Amino acid sequence: MNATVPRTGRPHVARFAKLRYDGARERHVLLGPETVVVLNPTGADILELCDGHHSVADIVDELGRRYDRVVDDEVTQFLARLAARRWVEIPDATNPDD
Amino acid sequence: MPRTPMTDGPLGVLAELTHACPLACAYCSNPLELTKRSDELSTDDWRRVLDQAAELGVLQCHLSGGEPLLRRDVVDIVAHASGLGMYTNLVTSAIGLSRPRAEALREAGLDHVQVSIQADEAVLSDRLAGISSFDKKIEAARLVKELDWPLTLNVVLHRQNIDRIEAILGWVEELGADRVELANTQYYGWALRNRAGLLPSREQLEHAEVVTRAARDRLRGRTEVIYVIPDYYSQYPKPCMGGWGSRQLVVGPEGDAWPCLAAHELPLPRANVNEHDLAWIWRSSPLFSAFRGTDWMPDPCASCERREVDLGGCRCQAFQLTGDMHRTDPVCVLSPDRHLVDEAVAAANSGPDSGAPASPGPAREPVLVPVPALVSRPHRAD
């Protein structure tokens, strides 16, 4: 599964999806045509860094700094799950226009 | 990644802007009695409803009907919902989606477009829709992609188009749709009246499922393929709307709010957005409280270990088939009323061509009751 999450890839939220903060639920939510994903704080932090500029390795470093622990698997598994459902796209850095 | 909302508010609102539609499909979800255009909510009414919905926690706004593009203010309504941060989704026949209109909707923040497709080619499609429309739909679907919108194609499946599913999926691929919903007809209202002409045979369904599985593999990573089986062929009922008054609410053209699209047929007190605010309707109205949770359930549901899985099934189906909205959904094999479903399934699987039900007159195709369509005129014209 991690083959779909190359450390050099620069993930971004899929163009059909919308990431926003929902005041009513006090959580970030990821919105799609028929689905709402209510995110926990870690998930929200990861997705906010999915801007097409940060690489997976950058996100792992940044999250590790924020939470002061190793988050490698947590980040890649989260991204792999979302990528499998096409919420997140992870073009490889070697092919940035992919 | 918890997915349970932190509040009890609904996630989505289905705004049925009008019952008017240029099409006249035999499975139309409109009620048998249509709301006149002159009785529709005004633009300001919709803005107020959307404000109240956002406050309740609604995150998605599905604009539907009838044909929502027949409302001249659909762009204003989209802009308002979008301004509230909602994910906005237009569910359309695509008739009336001209380039200027589409660009205005894009500008207003519309997030997603769902276009209905009746068949794979014009002759059958136009017969099913009751109007020449297939070429316009294809053209509009291309426009949606050209404007870089995500595109969903909605296909209602039934015995007259389900054998074309492979060619329909060919269009899905050619148009580059991001999603396709292949949904077998659900038998309420008009579709129930036309059930004999719509319910597919078992053989037809098995073919469709094989084709769909292959397409899902072929299109993986490009198109999400959603297939909804007809519940008449299931053992257990669907957990309708994820539970009564649990996740979604519907607001009709005249302002009546409902827990689901078909609930207007049930003998329950109305709740209208012109008389109450949405928070009261959602939280306290007798209508939305009627079947929340599991306390209302009769046996066999009350003592069933699946009661939290399928939530008693569909109240509208129970009412339409048995006349009692409190009964277990007759689709369930444990229901004492299952024979009502079995009889319809048997009829769909007997007869000369592996299932055409005996029809009056010489026609091989079962006769469909014509669905009335409100003429699309401005509000005052009625």
Side-chain angles (χ1 to χ4, degrees):
Chain A
M1 200 63 199
N2 279 0
T4 61
V5 187
R7 289 182 65 84
T8 51
R10 299 179 190 279
H12 61 88
V13 174
R15 71 195 173 87
F16 72 81
K18 244 184 176 173
L19 177 67
R20 57 163 275 219
Y21 183 73
D22 173 31
R25 294 174 180 81
E26 299 181 340
R27 289 292 180 96
H28 278 80
V29 288
L30 192 57
L31 305 177
E34 298 291 340
T35 319
V36 173
V37 182
V38 181
L39 297 159
N40 63 22
T42 321
D45 279 355
I46 296 171
L47 282 175
E48 281 190 317
L49 292 167
C50 290
D51 54 8
H53 299 294
H54 290 83
S55 69
V56 173
D58 295 339
I59 296 172
V60 167
D61 287 349
E62 176 61 29
L63 265 283
R65 229 179 349 261
R66 283 188 206 176
Y67 291 96
D68 198 22
R69 62 188 166 85
V70 178
V71 295
D72 203 320
D73 285 354
E74 210 176 318
V75 170
T76 50
Q77 281 168 20
F78 177 79
L79 289 175
R81 274 206 305 277
L82 289 185
R85 295 177 60 196
R86 302 184 65 222
W87 287 99
V88 164
E89 289 167 22
I90 314 178
D92 203 305
T94 53
N95 191 10
D97 295 326
D98 184 23
Chain B
M1 207 163 55
R3 264 170 239 149
T4 314
M6 307 298 285
T7 70
D8 294 325
L11 293 169
V13 62
L14 177 68
E16 293 201 293
L17 299 183
T18 179
H19 285 147
C21 182
L23 272 51
C25 309
Y27 46 79
C28 183
S29 66
N30 272 343
L32 303 182
E33 294 219 10
L34 306 180
T35 298
K36 286 190 296 186
R37 300 229 56 190
S38 52
D39 292 340
E40 289 176 2
L41 295 182
S42 68
T43 315
D44 279 343
D45 289 334
W46 278 112
R47 290 197 184 106
R48 185 186 72 243
V49 168
L50 291 169
D51 287 342
Q52 293 174 0
E55 221 164 286
L56 255 182
V58 164
L59 297 167
Q60 289 167 313
C61 175
H62 308 284
L63 299 149
S64 179
E67 174 48 65
L69 291 173
L70 288 176
R71 284 282 298 216
R72 285 185 299 192
D73 55 359
V74 66
V75 174
D76 303 310
I77 295 170
V78 165
H80 197 78
S82 190
L84 291 165
M86 291 179 187
Y87 191 97
T88 52
N89 183 21
L90 181 72
V91 186
T92 178
S93 68
I95 308 303
L97 192 65
S98 63
R99 182 175 293 269
R101 203 87 190 286
E103 284 169 353
L105 286 164
R106 194 85 176 96
E107 187 70 22
L110 182 67
D111 289 301
H112 189 110
V113 183
Q114 303 198 340
V115 174
S116 66
I117 296 285
Q118 277 68 23
D120 61 303
E121 51 83 32
V123 175
L124 177 61
S125 178
D126 294 352
R127 180 167 69 73
L128 293 170
I131 182 181
S132 169
S133 53
F134 181 75
D135 295 340
K136 288 179 199 153
K137 285 167 175 285
I138 296 299
E139 198 182 318
R142 290 196 206 281
L143 177 61
V144 168
K145 290 298 289 187
E146 187 194 316
L147 295 180
D148 202 30
W149 258 315
L151 169 69
T152 292
L153 294 178
N154 287 344
V155 188
V156 175
L157 296 173
H158 47 78
R159 71 185 291 130
Q160 302 190 31
N161 70 358
I162 195 167
D163 297 331
R164 311 286 194 106
I165 192 166
E166 190 138 31
I168 291 171
L169 283 160
W171 276 110
V172 170
E173 197 163 0
E174 161 151 7
L175 293 168
D178 300 88
R179 296 171 73 249
V180 57
E181 290 188 12
L182 302 160
N184 275 279
T185 309
Q186 307 211 37
Y187 295 100
Y188 308 106
W190 292 106
L192 183 59
R193 290 195 160 189
N194 285 316
R195 188 175 66 187
L198 295 172
L199 187 63
S201 69
R202 195 175 300 278
E203 198 182 333
Q204 286 184 299
L205 278 175
E206 282 167 4
H207 171 254
E209 284 168 22
V210 168
V211 171
T212 303
R213 271 197 296 275
R216 197 172 275 152
D217 287 342
R218 190 172 72 243
L219 297 172
R220 182 155 290 139
R222 284 186 286 160
T223 303
E224 188 184 357
V225 180
I226 296 133
Y227 182 84
V228 181
I229 63 164
D231 59 358
Y232 277 43
Y233 283 89
S234 305
Q235 278 194 295
Y236 298 111
K238 57 186 177 284
C240 200
M241 304 302 286
W244 182 271
S246 165
R247 295 182 196 168
Q248 308 281 334
L249 73 107
V250 180
V251 179
E254 70 297 278
D256 282 346
W258 301 101
C260 98
L261 202 57
H264 46 70
E265 313 215 359
L266 301 178
L268 286 168
R270 297 283 197 267
N272 191 289
V273 297
N274 283 330
E275 288 155 32
H276 299 281
D277 78 32
L278 220 47
W280 180 85
I281 291 174
W282 178 260
R283 296 196 183 110
S284 311
S285 68
L287 171 62
F288 276 77
S289 312
F291 298 109
R292 274 210 178 102
T294 54
D295 287 350
W296 61 270
M297 286 181 181
D299 269 324
C301 292
S303 56
C304 182
E305 59 183 23
R306 291 181 55 87
R307 68 181 175 278
E308 301 280 355
V309 178
D310 52 40
L311 305 166
C314 175
R315 297 303 85 223
C316 306
Q317 188 142 272
F319 177 71
Q320 294 211 1
L321 295 184
T322 74
D324 179 353
M325 62 183 172
H326 293 88
R327 288 179 81 80
T328 291
D329 188 332
V331 155
C332 185
V333 289
L334 303 171
S335 159
D337 304 310
R338 171 72 200 194
H339 65 94
L340 297 170
V341 170
D342 288 339
E343 284 156 18
V345 169
N349 287 282
S350 64
D353 63 346
S354 107
S359 54
R364 296 254 313 191
E365 276 165 10
V367 176
L368 296 174
V369 181
V371 175
L374 279 179
V375 182
S376 65
R377 292 201 190 96
H379 295 170
R380 289 168 302 283
D382 282 307

